[in-house]
Amino acid sequence: MTPVIELDGLEVRLGGRPILKKLAATLAGRSIGLLGPNGAGKSTLLNTLLGFHKPSSGAARVLGLDVRTRAREVRGLVGYMPENDAFIASMSGVRFVRMMAELAGLPPEQALERAHEAFFYVGLGEVRYRPLGSYSLGMKQAAKLAQAIAHGPKLLFLDEPTNGLDPPARVRMIQLIQEIRDRGDLHLILSSHLLRDVEECCDQVLILKDGSIAAYCNLEEERRANLRFLELETRGASNGCFLEALEKLGCQTAQGAQGRIKVVLPEGLELRSLYAVAAEQQVQIRRLNHKRDSLEDIFLKAMEGPDGRL
Amino acid sequence: MAVYKKIYRPYAGPLTPGWRRFLTIPRYALEDLHRSRFLTIFYIATFVYPLIAAIIIYLEHDLSALRAFNADRIANLIHIDSSFFLSFLGWQSMLALFLAAFIGPGLISPDLSNNALSLYLARPFSRSEYVVGKLSVVLLLMSLMTWVPGLLLFGYQAYLEGGQWMAGNSRIATGLFLGAWIWILLLALLALALSAWVKWKPAAGALMFGLFFVASGFGAAINNVQDTKWGYLLNISNLMGSIWVELFEGGDPTSTGAAFFRVAPGQRLPVWSCWAAVLTLCAVSLWMLARKIRGVEVVH
């Protein structure tokens, strides 16, 4: 499978200052989150992938195409929803989206049809003839999404898509992004400083800090791994026989204080086997928790400085 | 698919050729301009002078029409020569300046003030195509009021006068075409550059006039103080007048230019310096556009 984004020692300097520092990663997920505090370089990375900034060294490829030499082709495959308000206030929503679709290469008739479809899809069907300047913030965000998807891109860049939205509008936006993701027709890169947005929409996450990659992880694998990691609270397991029996099943174990045991289950082993062993050893399992290493934990670990401080 | 079926679907249909996409911009811009009643009336009014010029050419060749009004002596005053076409170009070019000042500022500034450039340029659409698209709006409208009617009038005169006249005056046709193009290209570039740098439309329009009239006043002041004629380099109408006379009449001109674009006798600058000044203005405008037309603005 062609990687979605390949970063090969990518460095971008703006005004003589390095903004992105030797980024190297291969991102191949269906939906990838770009996470980081404000000023970490998320928008700069997106702008570089769109060809707005020239890399000062290194290379970046989008769907196998070098952004330096084949920027036009890259932009032909991409739909972009920018962070800030971006539209022409005096134009009606559907006319604006139609124009953007035509600039992306759609013939006028198809562009008009797709503009209407995109507006209905994002829930703005009833207001599509109103000037964009009269839209509320939530409607403007949805209109930005409409112009990003109207031409049917292969890759969608969403820069802070829930910025400024009230809770119902945010939920609606997240649902739209999830729907687009789940149809599987395109890849999406979601840049956000909101962990929840990324957690709900993405299966991989690239965490940036001060223009460098602080972490890159597969959330799906993390979630799956978390399902295999258990914390037990037991009674009657102090003689070590219970742990030995678990290890015979292939589990990795660690004895804690006061009957607490950490267990990593091997692939294929079901939980009921643990209860069976506990019954044989006459051990009570009082509590069983799956480890919940959330994106927040991953993010906080990535943000930690060398001295352990954030 | 019916638009109310709220489903996202990828696009697999045909795409337009890349070279044609810049035409999307003038199409939408012309639709917008057409909504302005004032602009439509003004634009129609710009065709009055070409119509009068066509009537004059006709009358020169049909004395019976003048005799019917007992005005056959007027025929002696009508001369269809390079001065006639220079006057035509001068009038139409002045109207083109007004048109550029009206529509030019509204072309780029709304895109910049609404941050829409990032959306244009996030598509397979380059900065050059964007500028060419915007330029074509102004160039198309100004072409239709300058060199297109000019060449039609030339063709009409050649039709009435005969092939010999046409062969002997081919320089007029070249002058009309090239002279008008230099002017409208300069106007279009200046209008776009000012539109890109001055986001408030009325200010950009005023600046357009200021560049022509204030700069020429400044040039006149330099001439008086320094006792020189090089101050005319700041007088755009003088520059264009010199270039036009050269294009219409060659190196030994008899006229002093066109309406609004006259060169004072004895104050003519070398034509190469006029070309250099006009090309410098075009280059500065392009530089100004290159600085502003970007997907994202980087604040250093």
Side-chain angles (χ1 to χ4, degrees):
Chain A
M1 192 172 95
T2 311
V4 182
I5 308 283
E6 292 167 273
L7 307 174
D8 186 6
L10 177 72
E11 187 175 76
V12 174
R13 300 177 82 88
L14 299 176
R17 205 164 58 91
I19 306 297
L20 298 179
K21 301 166 190 166
K22 303 282 179 196
L23 303 188
T26 302
L27 318 181
R30 170 68 50 194
S31 56
I32 300 157
L34 273 184
L35 204 53
N38 293 329
K42 305 184 297 291
S43 295
T44 305
L45 178 57
L46 288 187
N47 288 331
T48 306
L49 296 176
L50 284 166
F52 294 165
H53 299 311
K54 290 267 175 278
S56 39
S57 68
R61 282 178 288 279
V62 176
L63 297 169
L65 303 171
D66 193 307
V67 297
R68 200 196 290 262
T69 55
R70 300 174 75 181
R72 194 183 175 96
E73 288 166 75
V74 169
R75 291 197 294 259
L77 300 173
V78 170
Y80 174 49
M81 178 182 177
E83 178 182 2
N84 301 319
D85 272 358
F87 50 83
I88 299 173
S90 58
M91 275 181 124
S92 73
V94 75
R95 190 161 177 261
F96 179 68
V97 173
R98 180 193 182 184
M99 183 173 83
M100 288 296 150
E102 283 186 48
L103 290 175
L106 271 65
E109 299 77 25
Q110 279 90 333
L112 180 62
E113 188 186 339
R114 299 273 309 185
H116 282 287
E117 276 179 31
F119 258 80
F120 273 96
Y121 181 67
V122 300
L124 296 180
E126 300 303 318
V127 295
R128 63 196 192 279
Y129 293 112
R130 264 174 49 184
L132 283 160
S134 69
Y135 283 17
S136 68
L137 191 58
M139 289 154 82
K140 283 175 186 165
Q141 289 290 85
K144 278 196 292 181
L145 179 62
Q147 65 77 32
I149 60 172
H151 57 288
K154 299 264 185 293
L155 174 61
L156 194 54
F157 286 169
L158 305 171
D159 198 354
E160 307 280 2
T162 58
N163 246 8
L165 298 183
D166 59 25
R170 182 193 163 274
V171 169
R172 174 73 188 132
M173 178 61 76
I174 293 292
Q175 278 173 351
L176 280 171
I177 296 169
Q178 287 170 338
E179 271 175 45
I180 293 170
R181 176 199 64 189
D182 294 340
R183 278 189 60 83
D185 298 315
L186 51 70
H187 298 271
L188 65 90
I189 310 276
L190 189 150
S191 162
S192 180
H193 64 280
L194 301 174
L195 302 177
R196 221 174 125 198
D197 289 1
V198 173
E199 196 157 31
E200 288 176 21
C201 298
C202 301
D203 48 34
Q204 291 190 6
V205 62
L206 180 76
I207 300 175
L208 293 176
K209 182 187 174 190
D210 295 332
S212 303
I213 294 177
Y216 174 54
C217 64
N218 189 322
L219 287 177
E220 266 312 301
E221 280 174 14
E222 289 286 333
R223 284 177 199 129
R224 251 183 276 135
N226 288 347
L227 282 176
R228 314 303 304 168
F229 195 105
L230 304 175
E231 284 174 334
L232 307 181
E233 211 174 295
T234 59
R235 280 274 167 87
S238 52
N239 60 3
C241 297
F242 180 56
L243 263 64
E244 275 176 32
L246 289 179
E247 280 165 9
K248 277 181 190 160
L249 289 175
C251 298
Q252 294 172 39
T253 59
Q255 177 86 55
Q258 296 175 338
R260 291 202 179 95
I261 302 170
K262 290 183 178 174
V263 180
V264 180
L265 299 178
E267 283 294 325
L269 186 72
E270 293 190 13
L271 277 179
R272 68 174 69 174
S273 311
L274 256 62
Y275 286 104
V277 170
E280 277 172 22
Q281 302 288 332
Q282 295 184 327
V283 172
Q284 295 175 12
I285 296 178
R286 292 290 185 90
R287 186 174 290 170
L288 185 150
N289 288 329
H290 286 284
K291 185 190 168 203
R292 303 194 71 79
D293 195 6
S294 67
L295 179 59
E296 190 174 349
D297 299 317
I298 297 168
F299 182 73
L300 289 174
K301 258 185 248 166
M303 289 297 113
E304 268 179 14
D307 56 353
R309 291 185 181 184
L310 285 178
Chain B
M1 188 183 77
V3 293
Y4 58 82
K5 289 183 181 169
K6 297 173 185 172
I7 294 173
Y8 172 76
R9 62 184 177 119
Y11 178 73
L15 293 175
T16 52
W19 64 267
R20 226 175 65 185
R21 286 180 201 161
F22 81 93
L23 293 172
T24 305
I25 290 185
R27 191 153 49 79
Y28 278 83
L30 290 172
E31 277 175 26
D32 287 336
L33 291 174
H34 183 61
R35 289 203 192 102
S36 164
R37 193 175 296 173
F38 169 74
L39 204 63
T40 308
I41 293 170
F42 172 80
Y43 195 63
I44 291 168
T46 62
F47 292 99
V48 170
Y49 190 92
L51 192 67
I52 293 170
I55 293 169
I56 291 172
I57 291 172
Y58 172 76
L59 290 177
E60 202 223 2
H61 293 89
D62 189 359
L63 288 174
S64 60
L66 285 173
R67 278 193 205 108
F69 295 102
N70 286 328
D72 43 346
R73 260 188 281 169
I74 292 175
N76 299 328
L77 301 174
I78 300 173
H79 299 289
I80 311 298
D81 52 12
S82 62
S83 296
F84 175 85
F85 284 100
L86 263 172
S87 286
F88 165 82
L89 186 58
W91 269 100
Q92 293 302 101
S93 296
M94 182 48 72
L95 293 172
L97 168 63
F98 279 87
L99 186 77
F102 288 142
I103 65 172
L107 286 174
I108 291 185
S109 57
D111 293 342
L112 281 169
S113 53
N114 290 303
N115 295 319
L117 270 182
S118 60
L119 296 183
Y120 283 97
L121 301 178
R123 286 166 166 73
F125 192 68
S126 66
R127 293 158 70 199
S128 320
E129 284 171 301
Y130 175 83
V131 171
V132 169
K134 294 287 180 183
L135 272 179
S136 63
V137 180
V138 195
L139 290 176
L140 177 73
L141 292 175
M142 291 198 291
S143 289
L144 289 176
M145 59 192 281
T146 52
W147 63 268
V148 172
L151 289 184
L152 285 174
L153 288 174
F154 180 84
Y156 184 44
Q157 166 69 7
Y159 167 71
L160 294 175
E161 198 71 42
Q164 206 177 349
W165 183 90
M166 189 174 163
N169 292 279
S170 59
R171 197 176 184 107
I172 293 176
T174 318
L176 269 172
F177 182 73
L178 289 179
W181 260 107
I182 296 158
W183 174 243
I184 63 178
L185 196 61
L186 175 67
L187 277 183
L189 283 172
L190 282 173
L192 287 197
L194 293 176
S195 171
W197 280 75
V198 185
K199 289 183 183 174
W200 192 41
K201 284 200 279 182
L207 206 58
M208 186 91 185
F209 283 112
L211 201 65
F212 282 85
F213 299 114
V214 177
S216 63
F218 190 61
I222 290 175
N223 285 343
N224 285 332
V225 172
Q226 300 290 325
D227 195 21
T228 178
K229 58 182 181 182
W230 289 101
Y232 284 123
L233 282 177
L234 296 177
N235 187 329
I236 297 173
S237 60
N238 193 300
L239 298 176
M240 290 311 302
S242 297
I243 290 171
W244 286 352
V245 167
E246 166 80 9
L247 286 171
F248 273 75
E249 300 185 353
D252 191 20
T254 53
S255 71
T256 54
F260 308 109
F261 296 88
R262 292 205 185 281
V263 186
Q267 299 297 313
R268 189 184 298 274
L269 292 172
V271 180
W272 65 262
S273 64
C274 300
W275 277 104
V278 169
L279 291 176
T280 305
L281 261 177
C282 291
V284 169
S285 303
L286 283 172
W287 177 81
M288 287 169 73
L289 285 168
R291 294 276 299 170
K292 278 285 172 183
I293 308 301
R294 290 168 187 272
V296 281
E297 195 164 4
V298 179
V299 181
H300 298 299

